[in-house]
Amino acid sequence: MACYCFYFSSPFIKVNGNPFLMFNIVERKFSIFGNMFFPQDLYIFVFGTLIILVSIVLFTAVFGRVWCGWTCPQTIFMELIFRRIEYLIEGDWTQQKKLNEGPNTDARAWKKLLKHALFLLVSCFISNIFLAYIIGVDELIKIITEPIEQHLGGFIAIVIFTLVFYSVFAFVREIVCTTICPYGRFQGVLLDDQSMCVAYNAQRGEPRGKRSKKSTEPKGDCVDCGLCVHVCPTGIDIRNGIQLECVNCTACIDACDAVMDKLGKPKRLIGFYSLGQVEGKKDFKKNYTRQNIYVAVLLVLCSAFLYFIFSRAPIDGSLLRAAGSTYQSQPDGRISNLYTIEVINKSGKAVPFELKSADKNFELKLVNKIDSLPKDGAAKLSFFLITDKKNIKTYKSKTAVQIWSQGEEVNTLKTTFICPPGAQ
C-alpha cells in the first residue's frame, strides 16, 4: 500500500510549486523532491545515479532481490492489481486452467472480455500516471480536459502507453522479470554467501515425499505438495536451489508455512536464508566487510550529492566569448570584448537579477537588457567588458562576471579577456 501511495501520488504532490517527482525529458526539466534540475546540473545527476547503483548493489548483497519482490512497479501492479482482477473473475490457477482447457462457451467469452476490458481500463489509468511523471500534472490535465486536436501528441502518447502496459500485464508478464529486465541478469555477480535470499532448507526438507503410515522410510518435512511451485509468479521450483527467475516475492514462503501449520511442523522450511546457510558450510560465519565498504561508499556519495544540492546557485548560467569575435578598440581608446551569457532560474520562483563585473578595472555594458527571470525561465544576453589598455598585462587575462539578485551575489562565472599588451 505504501508503494501504491508513493507511485500514484508523487507527480501530484507539489513542493514550492514544483512536482515532487517529474522527469520531463522533452523539455529537459527534472523535478526531484520539488527541486528543479536542468541539463547544467548533469554533475548532480551523475552522483544521484551512482547513489542508486550503489544502493542496488548494497541491498542486493544483503537482502537479495528485495527490490524485485517488494518495490518494483512490475511486481506490485501485476500481483496486487492485475492478478487479483484475474482471480476475481476467473478463479485461482486451477480454475483458470480448467476454464482455458474447457469448451468455448458464452460464460468463458464474457469472463475473458470482462477481464481484458478491466485490464485496459487499469492500463489507461497507469499510463496517465506515467505520463504525469514525464510532462507534469498540469499538462496532463490539459490533455484530458481540452479538445484532442489541441494535444494530439499527448493523446497518442496515452494510447501508446496504455497498449504497452496492457500488453505487458496481460501477455508478457513474468517474461519482463526473467528475460527483459537486466537486473536479474547481473544479480548473480552481486550475491555472495552472506546474501539473504528466499531459499529452501534442503537439509530439513529432504528426502521429500508424501506421508504414509505404512512407510518406514525416513522423510523430510517437505511433503511434495507442489504449492510453492503453483503460487510462484515466475513458475520455478524453489526447491531446486537459487535461480535467476526468483524475484523474492515470498509467495512460496506463505504457501509452505500454511502447510507446515497443518502438519504441526515448524515454519520456514522455505524462508530467508544466506547462501552459506543453504549450502550447509560448516565454517560459515557472518562477515560484513563487503557490506561495510558499500555503506562507506554510499555515505561518501550521499554527502557529495547533498553538498551539491544545497550549494547550487539559484541562478546559473554559461558564459562564453562571442563566437568569431576578437577584441575591439573603443573610440575613447579603451579595449572591449563581446560576450554572451545564458542565465537560467533554478530558484523555483520569479526573481530579478543583474550582471556586474567582478573586477573593478572592467566595465560591463549590456547590449540587450533583461532584468528579471520568470519561474524556471531562461534568458540570453550579450554584453561588453571594457577596460583601459594599461590594465592589460598578458594576452589572456582572467576575469569574472557576477550575477546579483535581490541585493546579494548568487553566482560568479569565470572567463578570459583577450588583448595583446599595448594594443591600440
Side-chain angles (χ1 to χ4, degrees):
M1 184 58 69
C3 289
Y4 276 134
C5 293
F6 180 79
Y7 291 141
F8 289 141
S9 65
S10 292
F12 298 90
I13 299 173
K14 291 195 174 183
V15 181
N16 298 324
N18 297 320
F20 185 73
L21 285 177
M22 183 183 73
F23 307 94
N24 192 335
I25 301 173
V26 178
E27 297 181 3
R28 297 178 296 173
K29 295 194 299 185
F30 308 90
S31 178
I32 302 176
F33 307 141
N35 296 304
M36 292 300 298
F37 295 90
F38 301 87
Q40 293 87 346
D41 299 313
L42 178 63
Y43 62 99
I44 298 178
F45 175 78
V46 170
F47 275 92
T49 304
L50 289 175
I51 288 172
I52 293 173
L53 292 177
V54 175
S55 298
I56 290 174
V57 172
L58 172 62
F59 282 98
T60 302
V62 178
F63 300 111
R65 293 179 70 174
V66 66
W67 160 264
C68 296
W70 295 92
T71 54
C72 176
Q74 166 70 18
T75 302
I76 292 175
F77 294 152
M78 185 70 241
E79 298 303 321
L80 300 183
I81 297 181
F82 291 91
R83 191 87 69 186
R84 292 191 178 185
I85 291 175
E86 195 169 56
Y87 283 178
L88 182 65
I89 297 174
E90 297 183 348
D92 60 21
W93 69 274
T94 53
Q95 293 171 316
Q96 290 179 37
K97 185 178 181 180
K98 290 179 180 178
L99 182 67
N100 293 332
E101 295 176 352
N104 190 13
T105 61
D106 289 343
R108 173 185 171 181
W110 279 110
K111 285 183 178 181
K112 293 292 183 182
L113 180 62
L114 178 60
K115 182 185 79 169
H116 285 281
L118 290 175
F119 277 10
L120 268 172
L121 184 63
V122 175
S123 297
C124 182
F125 174 74
I126 296 175
S127 71
N128 279 269
I129 299 297
F130 181 77
L131 195 59
Y133 275 101
I134 298 177
I135 63 175
V137 175
D138 296 335
E139 287 298 319
L140 177 64
I141 292 175
K142 290 180 181 179
I143 294 174
I144 296 173
T145 58
E146 295 180 0
I148 292 177
E149 58 269 16
Q150 295 183 16
H151 304 280
L152 187 59
F155 175 75
I156 293 174
I158 291 176
V159 172
I160 291 174
F161 287 144
T162 298
L163 294 177
V164 168
F165 285 122
Y166 169 72
S167 300
V168 167
F169 293 114
F171 305 106
V172 181
R173 298 194 165 193
E174 292 78 21
I175 296 176
V176 173
C177 304
T178 59
T179 305
I180 300 174
C181 180
Y183 176 49
R185 293 293 172 182
F186 68 78
Q187 70 151 341
V189 300
L190 302 178
L191 299 176
D192 58 19
D193 58 2
Q194 309 291 323
S195 303
M196 300 295 293
C197 56
V198 174
Y200 167 66
N201 189 341
Q203 292 180 321
R204 174 185 154 192
E206 300 296 325
R208 73 185 78 155
K210 303 292 184 182
R211 292 288 181 271
S212 175
K213 295 181 179 179
K214 298 180 180 180
S215 176
T216 58
E217 182 182 352
K219 297 284 187 181
D221 286 352
C222 178
V223 296
D224 202 17
C225 62
L227 282 179
C228 56
V229 180
H230 296 322
V231 299
C232 178
T234 57
I236 65 170
D237 189 342
I238 193 65
R239 296 171 296 179
N240 294 335
I242 306 300
Q243 296 163 70
L244 167 70
E245 294 80 6
C246 179
V247 295
N248 283 17
C249 66
T250 70
C252 54
I253 295 179
D254 295 336
C256 188
D257 283 350
V259 175
M260 292 298 106
D261 271 341
K262 292 179 181 179
L263 296 176
K265 299 286 186 179
K267 294 182 178 180
R268 295 299 185 263
L269 177 59
I270 301 175
F272 275 98
Y273 299 105
S274 65
L275 295 181
Q277 291 173 318
V278 172
E279 294 170 359
K281 294 182 179 179
K282 295 181 179 179
D283 57 346
F284 174 75
K285 292 182 180 179
K286 286 287 186 181
N287 187 335
Y288 299 102
T289 303
R290 183 184 177 192
Q291 289 87 331
N292 291 337
I293 293 174
Y294 290 150
V295 170
V297 173
L298 189 60
L299 287 175
V300 171
L301 291 173
C302 288
S303 300
F305 181 75
L306 291 174
Y307 169 77
F308 288 130
I309 288 289
F310 290 107
S311 64
R312 189 177 66 146
I315 301 178
D316 202 357
S318 57
L319 176 60
L320 298 171
R321 210 170 22 250
S325 68
T326 181
Y327 66 90
Q328 304 88 30
S329 297
Q330 298 294 321
D332 58 3
R334 293 188 298 171
I335 305 299
S336 66
N337 278 191
L338 179 62
Y339 298 86
T340 59
I341 183 172
E342 184 173 1
V343 291
I344 186 167
N345 183 9
K346 300 180 180 180
S347 65
K349 58 183 179 180
V351 291
F353 78 100
E354 62 176 322
L355 302 178
K356 294 182 180 181
S357 173
D359 191 335
K360 294 181 179 179
N361 294 323
F362 289 83
E363 176 192 350
L364 190 148
K365 185 177 180 181
L366 289 168
V367 176
N368 58 321
K369 186 176 181 181
I370 301 175
D371 54 13
S372 65
L373 289 171
K375 177 185 174 183
D376 303 331
K380 193 171 184 178
L381 298 90
S382 298
F383 63 88
F384 289 99
L385 282 180
I386 308 172
T387 188
D388 288 329
K389 292 181 293 184
K390 63 182 181 180
N391 298 323
I392 305 300
K393 305 299 182 184
T394 60
Y395 177 72
K396 285 188 176 181
S397 305
K398 292 182 179 180
T399 186
V401 173
Q402 297 173 339
I403 303 176
W404 285 68
S405 179
Q406 298 176 327
E408 64 178 25
E409 179 190 343
V410 296
N411 204 348
T412 300
L413 304 176
K414 297 179 180 180
T415 185
T416 58
F417 187 91
I418 62 168
C419 179
Q424 298 297 322

